[in-house]
Amino acid sequence: MSKYSYQLKIHAVQEYLSKECSYAEVCRKFDIHSKRQLITWVHEAQVNGYESLAPRKTHHSYSLDFKLQVVNYYRMHELSTVQVAVKFNLNRSQVYSWYRKYKNEGIVGLRPKPIGRPTKAMNKRKMIKKSKIQGEL
């Protein structure tokens, strides 16, 4: 659950866009602790509409092509992670995480990882014993 409700975000953005108040005044009025947060909401609403302020679905898996598209856009346009996140309706930290993985591991780092616990590899001794037993039969 997010700290601020969808309705509060909309009202705060509308209040700022009506040009009656500054960022600081809107933050005080709606008890928003970070001016940076309000600035991000305003940019998201201007670029993607008010729907982008709605709570995001968690645990969303993205394709390799989409991740690569985001990373390439970030590298080519030399924008901040916040600006790229607003364009693609993502979290800022997600954009930077994908970029860091791409920089360190290449395209392999962006591949989706298998979900769940890895299968248990058999012990070499057990495998040797099994092969001996099967050889004797």
Side-chain angles (χ1 to χ4, degrees), residues 93-112:
S93 62
Q94 186 67 69
V95 173
Y96 185 72
S97 172
W98 290 342
Y99 171 70
R100 191 178 64 244
K101 285 180 182 179
Y102 180 79
K103 192 170 101 177
N104 294 336
E105 303 171 36
I107 197 166
V108 175
L110 297 177
R111 285 190 184 150

Side-chain angles (χ1 to χ4, degrees), residues 2 15 21 83 117 127 130:
S2 67
E15 182 81 19
C21 302
Q83 292 169 318
R117 191 174 190 171
M127 290 179 68
K130 280 188 176 182

